[in-house]
Amino acid sequence: MVSGKNLSVENTNNMSKLAEEIVGKKKQKDILLMTHQILGYPDFETNYNMIRLFVECGVDLIELQLPFSEPIADGPIFLKANQEALQRGTTIEQCLQFARRVTAEFNIPFIFMTYYNILYQYGVDEFVATSKSIGIRGLIVPDAYPEESCDYMDSCKKYEVDPILLVTPYTPDERLGYLSRKTGGLLYCVARKGVTGGKTDFNNNTTTFLSRCCQYASTPIGVGFGIQHKNDVQFLIGKSDIAIIGSKLLEVLEEEGLAGVKTFLYSLQQKFE
């Protein structure tokens, strides 16, 4: 965990601006929160109201997912949301225009999450350049492996948009070191095997995995996949810089509406006795 290390000024200066901002925010909080929205689901108005609520509730980073027909990393709740967003006619251009609006209005780092086919169809260099012009700070593209996506990695470097890479408990040390060197902004640590939405049993194995990540990471680290309640966030304090919450937020929205989301987000940040 970068914030737990004694970083030299030189090392800090070698970080991206997003990583530096995360480190700065982390000095004020035990752990940061990153939340997630699938654009166009259930509609852009709800997306906007959710983002406004995230900011109100003290969220630190926001991940905007561009809907895709085959989201391989996503579990049932996100898969349904992707499909329904597309069925309702959501387009990439609508998503980009919406992102332009919220990045201009809300002073918080925004990150795009999508899949490589979207970049390929749009034009990789053009997509990264457009993301930069919109104000997007980083990109999560789970199927863009750095050694096979040189055009993507080169464009991220050219436009200073962080390519945020994923590692799992099953990533070997050599690979973990390689991905840690290639990632930008933060290292996304997937807490368990499988897709989004399932519950994760945070335990000693998680601690061991995150210790390995901290050993190699030269950026902050974030943990996602399976964070369900405040006890999960509490477990991650001292082990991760960022807790990433996605599917649970959508589940709460559908069951309890915006008021329920607000209560849930505040519950995650309650001080423990």
Side-chain angles (χ1 to χ4, degrees):
M1 185 174 59
V2 165
S3 56
K5 299 178 181 178
N6 293 320
L7 296 174
S8 67
V9 173
E10 180 181 2
N11 286 341
T12 304
N13 289 339
N14 286 336
M15 287 184 178
S16 70
K17 292 180 181 178
L18 176 58
E20 288 181 0
E21 187 168 342
I22 292 170
V23 170
K25 284 174 173 274
K26 184 63 169 51
K27 292 177 182 177
Q28 309 300 320
K29 301 174 72 173
D30 291 333
I31 192 165
L32 307 185
L33 294 181
M34 179 166 137
T35 52
H36 182 283
Q37 281 285 280
I38 295 176
L39 297 183
Y41 182 82
D43 50 60
F44 284 107
E45 180 181 0
T46 304
N47 291 150
Y48 179 85
N49 289 333
M50 285 282 279
I51 289 166
R52 183 170 58 185
L53 184 59
F54 293 162
V55 175
E56 176 188 334
C57 293
V59 165
D60 302 285
L61 303 95
I62 298 175
E63 180 182 350
L64 304 176
Q65 181 169 344
L66 307 182
F68 181 57
S69 57
E70 299 178 64
I72 58 173
D74 290 326
I77 190 169
F78 274 2
L79 180 60
K80 172 179 173 289
N82 274 272
Q83 290 173 339
E84 291 195 13
L86 294 173
Q87 288 169 359
R88 293 173 184 176
T90 302
T91 66
I92 295 303
E93 285 302 328
Q94 288 174 335
C95 293
L96 296 176
Q97 289 304 315
F98 177 84
R100 189 181 298 277
R101 175 191 177 190
V102 294
T103 56
E105 185 167 342
F106 298 104
N107 184 27
I108 188 172
F110 285 92
I111 293 164
F112 271 157
M113 184 272 173
T114 190
Y115 292 89
Y116 190 78
N117 187 266
I118 297 290
L119 278 67
Y120 180 79
Q121 294 294 329
Y122 194 91
V124 173
D125 193 73
E126 184 179 358
F127 183 88
V128 179
T130 301
S131 298
K132 173 68 174 183
S133 72
I134 287 172
I136 295 298
R137 308 288 294 279
L139 298 172
I140 301 172
V141 187
D143 55 349
Y145 307 109
E147 64 270 56
E148 299 174 359
S149 308
C150 295
D151 51 352
Y152 166 63
M153 298 297 290
D154 289 346
S155 293
C156 285
K157 183 176 182 180
K158 177 166 66 171
Y159 297 111
E160 298 183 322
V161 177
D162 284 323
I164 298 169
L165 304 182
L166 285 71
V167 296
T168 79
Y170 302 92
T171 304
D173 283 355
E174 182 177 357
R175 180 73 176 167
L176 180 53
Y178 172 76
L179 294 173
S180 297
R181 292 190 297 273
K182 293 292 185 179
T183 197
L186 63 109
L187 181 67
Y188 193 124
C189 303
V190 178
R192 56 164 170 75
K193 185 177 181 180
V195 294
T196 61
K199 187 180 187 315
T200 296
D201 181 16
F202 290 96
N203 54 31
N204 290 337
N205 291 331
T206 312
T207 301
T208 300
F209 167 52
L210 296 180
S211 295
R212 290 175 57 226
C213 294
C214 292
Q215 178 183 349
Y216 289 102
S218 58
T219 64
I221 68 172
V223 177
F225 283 54
I227 296 175
Q228 301 277 323
H229 47 68
K230 64 180 180 180
N231 289 338
D232 298 333
V233 177
Q234 172 70 5
F235 177 89
L236 294 173
I237 292 174
K239 303 178 182 73
S240 175
D241 299 293
I242 307 163
I244 304 169
I245 304 100
S247 298
K248 184 64 177 180
L249 278 169
L250 186 51
E251 180 183 317
V252 173
L253 174 67
E254 294 188 342
E255 292 179 356
E256 304 176 36
L258 289 169
V261 172
K262 183 175 183 178
T263 300
F264 174 70
L265 284 173
Y266 278 129
S267 77
L268 295 178
Q269 302 174 80
Q270 289 176 355
K271 296 294 183 181
F272 284 74
E273 299 298 332

